[in-house]
Amino acid sequence: MENGTYFYLMLFENIGYIRYAFFSLGFILYCAIVFFNALVIFAIFLERTLHQPMYILISCLSVNSVFGTAAFFPRLLTDLLSDTHSVSRAACILQAFVILSYASNENTILMLMAFDRYVAISKPLQYNNIMTPRILSVLIAISCIYSMLCVGIGCILNARLTKCGNKLWKVYCHNWEIVKLSCENTIVNNVFGLFILTTTVIMPLSFILYSYVKILIICRKSSQDFRRKAYQTCIPHIVILLNFSVALFCEVTLSRVATLKLPIELSIILSLEFLIVPPILNPLVYGLNFPKIRQKIIWIIKACK
């Protein structure tokens, strides 16, 4: 094999028979992720009363979860059962593109959800005129296209680099880990990577924080019943946001800070949290918390029986 044509995922080496336990756990997790997210998607799609901005954005989170995990779990399960753990350069960059797009899309969707809650709470009478289906569609399209375009350019910049190594110390293809194998100057990749981080992570999180500060100010001046309803719709979003932000922070820190030394098992768990926990937590939080979604999911399950 020509150097640079294939990459080797080194963390799968010498794991012995425990691979079968990991395979079983991974298979169960992946099935659960697909099942729960599919239930949320179908519930919102089939129920006309759920064709509202808040619920549509919840379904977007589920679609994004299925999109991101589809690039990770099938490859992971294959590698756990395989004796060779090589992946072609093109396939590796494609996997890195999908996983990074998933992370970027998640942030921008959460930003749109914060904006939706801010408009609903601060301008309830104008809400239907502001969050029209057309405006919502445009916002979703712009946010997702922008995220994937930025990530795509980053992966193209990565693909043009000459590699002086082919060993990846990850269980999946990570864009920054691939860049570190380059024997060329990577300053362009580094600068553009910081640009992606700023526009798809830092800026959305800053806007979300601003939105919730404004919401808290409004709630303090409102009645107790108004505050209760506002908190009821905002708390699930805050739980999802905090979980994903912590998971993403762990992943970025582990990949960027070379001096951080942790046990290999802990490093793997922390680096995979953003790909495992949010996709299974999102449908559980929203499916159990919102009565309309929960009732439709129960109806779907009964209909299937």
Side-chain angles (χ1 to χ4, degrees):
M1 294 180 184
E2 184 183 349
N3 186 28
T5 304
Y6 284 81
F7 293 112
Y8 295 89
L9 302 173
M10 302 304 295
L11 292 182
F12 289 105
E13 299 293 330
N14 303 318
I15 59 175
Y17 290 107
I18 198 172
R19 70 175 64 187
Y20 300 111
F22 288 148
F23 175 86
S24 301
L25 178 61
F27 182 77
I28 292 171
L29 279 173
Y30 186 47
C31 289
I33 288 170
V34 173
F35 176 73
F36 289 127
N37 281 287
L39 278 179
V40 170
I41 294 169
F42 285 129
I44 294 172
F45 176 78
L46 294 173
E47 182 57 54
R48 282 188 170 273
T49 60
L50 297 180
H51 294 179
Q52 302 173 24
M54 180 176 65
Y55 298 113
I56 291 173
L57 289 169
I58 290 173
S59 68
C60 287
L61 276 183
S62 289
V63 170
N64 191 51
S65 294
V66 174
F67 170 70
T69 53
F72 170 67
F73 276 100
R75 176 76 208 187
L76 173 72
L77 297 176
T78 301
D79 281 320
L80 285 171
L81 296 182
S82 176
D83 293 326
T84 60
H85 309 106
S86 61
V87 54
S88 70
R89 182 169 176 171
C92 198
I93 291 176
L94 177 62
Q95 185 186 46
F97 165 76
V98 175
I99 290 176
L100 196 53
S101 295
Y102 150 77
S104 300
N105 287 337
E106 192 86 355
N107 265 319
T108 54
I109 294 170
L110 289 171
M111 179 184 67
L112 293 179
M113 294 178 76
F115 174 69
D116 173 72
R117 291 300 84 204
Y118 170 71
V119 174
I121 292 171
S122 64
K123 299 180 180 180
L125 298 179
Q126 292 85 30
Y127 177 76
N128 290 330
N129 294 327
I130 296 174
M131 297 299 291
T132 63
R134 182 176 181 179
I135 291 176
L136 180 64
S137 300
V138 170
L139 290 175
I140 293 172
I142 290 175
S143 63
C144 292
I145 291 172
Y146 176 79
S147 297
M148 297 181 75
L149 182 62
C150 285
V151 172
I153 294 172
C155 289
I156 291 172
L157 291 174
N158 188 356
R160 69 179 178 82
L161 296 173
T162 302
K163 310 301 180 191
C164 291
N166 57 7
K167 294 181 179 180
L168 293 174
W169 296 93
K170 288 276 188 178
V171 295
Y172 65 94
C173 293
H174 189 285
N175 194 60
W176 178 243
E177 295 296 323
I178 299 173
V179 170
K180 290 195 290 187
L181 295 177
S182 173
C183 43
E184 296 182 34
N185 191 319
T186 61
I187 187 168
V188 175
N189 298 70
N190 295 338
V191 171
F192 194 76
L194 289 174
F195 173 77
I196 294 175
L197 183 66
T198 301
T199 58
T200 64
V201 178
I202 297 176
M203 288 177 62
L205 289 178
S206 299
F207 180 82
I208 292 170
L209 180 61
Y210 170 80
S211 299
Y212 276 106
V213 169
K214 298 290 286 185
I215 288 173
L216 286 174
I217 293 173
I218 294 169
C219 288
R220 285 187 62 184
K221 300 177 182 178
S222 304
S223 65
Q224 185 174 356
D225 185 59
F226 182 90
R227 288 200 300 269
R228 181 184 61 80
K229 292 180 179 178
Y231 294 153
Q232 187 177 14
T233 60
C234 290
I235 286 176
H237 181 254
I238 294 174
V239 170
I240 296 299
L241 173 65
L242 289 175
N243 172 71
F244 185 74
S245 298
V246 171
L248 194 60
F249 174 79
C250 292
E251 198 280 334
V252 172
T253 303
L254 288 171
S255 62
R256 291 277 177 170
V257 183
T259 56
L260 189 62
K261 300 297 181 181
L262 293 174
I264 188 66
E265 295 83 3
L266 180 60
S267 296
I268 293 174
I269 292 172
L270 292 177
S271 68
L272 295 181
E273 187 186 354
F274 83 108
L275 276 166
I276 296 175
V277 179
I280 200 167
L281 183 65
N282 293 359
L284 291 178
V285 169
Y286 287 117
L288 295 175
N289 187 74
F290 289 94
K292 290 184 179 180
I293 297 179
R294 183 171 64 247
Q295 291 167 9
K296 193 62 181 180
I297 287 175
I298 293 172
W299 180 88
I300 291 172
I301 294 173
K302 289 181 177 179
C304 290
K305 290 182 179 180

